[in-house]
Amino acid sequence: MLDSHSRTITISFFFLLLPTAFFPLTYASPAPSPRLFSKIYAFGDSFTDTGNTHSTTGPYSFGYVSEPPYGTTFFHRSTNRYSDGRLVVDFLATTLSLPFLPPYLSRAADFSHGVNFAVAGSTAIDHDFYVKNNVTIDITPQSLMTELMWFDKYLEEKGCKERGSPKCRALTEDALFWVGEIGANDYAYSYTSSVPHNVIQQLAIKNAINFVEALLLRGAKYVVVQGLPLIGCLPLTLILAPSDDRDDMGCSASINRQTYNHNEILQNKLNELRKKYPQAIVSYADYFAAYHTVMKNPAAYGFSEPLKACCGSGGGPYNFDIFATCGSRNVSKACSEPNKYINWDGVHLTEAMYKVVSDMFFHRGYCKPPFQVILTAKGRVKQNIYD
């Protein structure tokens, strides 16, 4: 059982991954096929970040992302993704017949097919808010506003000087905008503070919606916004939650209720944006529902360990110790079959789970409106261009 000091340390690094320099990577492109989109722009936190973080300035106890066993399932080496392999955004790129997205901080990368601005540890609420409220455990300065500023800088460097100009339209109208899950860090950082929960919820959702609207104002026509996943099913959450705080899946009932409420409000606000910008398609990727479906019958999706971390230590029902996390030398090791596990390192998911969720987003109707609606609409526009 963790003492109060240990609990504070643990919560402070929930999803906390800090950005730094990136080692350039070369990826093989998917097999050539007709491309509906020429590029993807991605935003979010560690569930979407493809390399804007690095071990040397990484968080306490999660400072091994640049080393094995991270990345070993697919890449056979670390790519600074907090998983054993590919993320949802990687499966998105493959689905659209595009190369994997390079991280923005890899300034020498080829950005011709898109950029990933997501930063692990980032928040929906600006960092200054936490500074003013003495929330000292938020040591990640990046937020959605940071990612928006990076995007604006990217557009300017590509010659987009005036919104609505041909150059700007060429950079935005032929792109899919992927807003990965964001907000989990806001709840985590404020957990032990005096800032009321409802204040965090209101500000996090407001900033996320303002961010999506900012993309629409910059010319985005096709946007997918992910909701929060089942945070109450993560091993880190489960070692903190009281033993009597459990739902029928064995997850934290209170945290999952909080997450569900967040997502409901977010969806209502997205509906308002759709009415305001009818020329755009804004789809909601229901991460909560997809994850919940898997957790209700994990064996049907090939999982035998729904709650235990594949890469961790300590054994027990969760195989998670905040003081000996994935990659810790001579202490923590990865399981032999990551494809049987939903959770990778106690906070992030395995490639196998990301693959299942991606399939649910792109082919099983867990996007609202369905992902196929976006593809059909984009194909119709592209056909009209060539007619």
Side-chain angles (χ1 to χ4, degrees):
M1 196 68 184
L2 297 177
D3 59 26
S4 59
H5 176 68
S6 298
R7 285 176 180 271
T8 300
I9 292 175
T10 302
I11 284 292
S12 70
F13 293 100
F14 187 58
F15 290 121
L16 186 58
L17 310 174
L18 304 179
T20 183
F22 175 81
F23 295 135
L25 298 171
T26 301
Y27 300 117
S29 299
S33 63
R35 288 173 172 167
L36 292 176
F37 292 94
S38 65
K39 56 182 70 67
I40 303 168
Y41 299 123
F43 309 86
D45 61 16
S46 59
F47 275 49
T48 306
D49 185 356
T50 55
N52 283 315
T53 63
H54 186 266
S55 289
T56 55
T57 56
Y60 170 87
S61 205
F62 280 95
Y64 304 96
V65 69
S66 299
E67 303 172 17
Y70 284 96
T72 53
T73 292
F74 180 80
F75 300 100
H76 307 298
R77 60 187 175 113
S78 169
T79 61
N80 293 312
R81 288 165 171 79
Y82 276 72
S83 181
D84 60 313
R86 292 164 290 182
L87 313 177
V88 170
V89 71
D90 295 312
F91 290 108
L92 171 68
T94 300
T95 298
L96 297 180
S97 298
L98 293 171
F100 295 152
L101 290 183
Y104 176 74
L105 294 183
S106 177
R107 302 299 287 155
D110 179 4
F111 293 154
S112 59
H113 293 295
V115 191
N116 193 330
F117 299 94
V119 178
S122 60
T123 53
I125 303 172
D126 292 346
H127 179 67
D128 287 347
F129 170 85
Y130 296 106
V131 174
K132 292 176 182 177
N133 285 278
N134 298 314
V135 182
T136 56
I137 60 175
D138 173 24
I139 58 175
T140 307
Q142 286 77 20
S143 67
L144 278 178
M145 183 55 66
T146 307
E147 296 178 27
L148 183 61
M149 289 190 295
W150 286 351
F151 180 57
D152 283 341
K153 183 178 179 181
Y154 162 82
L155 292 177
E156 186 176 347
E157 290 174 347
K158 293 294 184 179
C160 174
K161 306 293 184 180
E162 183 179 349
R163 291 183 193 176
S165 67
K167 189 65 175 180
C168 292
R169 290 201 303 272
L171 289 167
T172 58
E173 292 184 359
D174 200 34
L176 178 68
F177 288 74
W178 186 268
V179 182
E181 72 97 12
I182 191 77
N185 293 321
D186 296 271
Y187 290 111
Y189 296 152
S190 60
Y191 186 83
T192 58
S193 76
S194 60
V195 182
H197 161 79
N198 66 316
V199 172
I200 296 297
Q201 182 185 76
Q202 291 169 8
L203 288 177
I205 294 173
K206 177 183 177 181
N207 283 14
I209 291 298
N210 287 344
F211 176 80
V212 175
E213 183 167 24
L215 297 180
L216 294 170
L217 289 171
R218 283 158 176 75
K221 299 297 183 185
Y222 310 93
V223 185
V224 179
V225 181
Q226 281 186 267
L228 297 181
L230 280 178
I231 297 174
C233 295
L234 299 176
L236 176 55
T237 302
L238 290 168
I239 67 168
L240 294 171
S243 58
D244 60 351
D245 177 25
R246 294 292 185 269
D247 55 24
D248 60 353
M249 300 176 292
C251 305
S252 169
S254 63
I255 297 300
N256 279 344
R257 280 195 300 271
Q258 170 185 288
T259 307
Y260 179 84
N261 291 336
H262 174 104
N263 289 337
E264 284 294 292
I265 298 172
L266 177 64
Q267 290 181 75
N268 289 335
K269 296 296 183 181
L270 288 175
N271 281 335
E272 295 176 10
L273 275 186
R274 293 185 184 106
K275 295 175 183 177
K276 190 174 180 180
Y277 298 91
Q279 76 283 4
I281 298 178
V282 180
S283 180
Y284 173 74
D286 199 339
Y287 215 146
F288 190 99
Y291 200 146
H292 185 270
T293 298
V294 175
M295 286 297 296
K296 293 295 287 186
N297 190 7
Y301 297 91
F303 299 114
S304 57
E305 293 289 353
L307 297 175
K308 184 180 292 186
C310 167
C311 186
S313 62
Y318 311 123
N319 190 39
F320 183 76
D321 182 345
I322 189 61
F323 302 107
T325 56
C326 184
S328 300
R329 296 173 181 82
N330 303 319
V331 179
S332 174
K333 63 180 181 179
C335 62
S336 59
E337 295 183 286
N339 61 308
K340 302 295 184 183
Y341 287 68
I342 287 176
N343 201 279
W344 168 243
D345 61 5
V347 173
H348 309 94
L349 309 180
T350 59
E351 176 183 280
M353 181 58 170
Y354 285 129
K355 184 176 183 179
V356 168
V357 170
S358 299
D359 180 67
M360 296 169 86
F361 285 162
F362 307 143
H363 307 295
R364 311 296 173 187
Y366 282 79
C367 280
K368 309 171 188 177
F371 193 71
Q372 186 60 43
V373 169
I374 293 178
L375 298 182
T376 300
K378 185 62 171 67
R380 189 178 300 119
V381 169
K382 198 160 189 174
Q383 184 62 42
N384 289 340
I385 291 175
Y386 290 112
D387 285 347

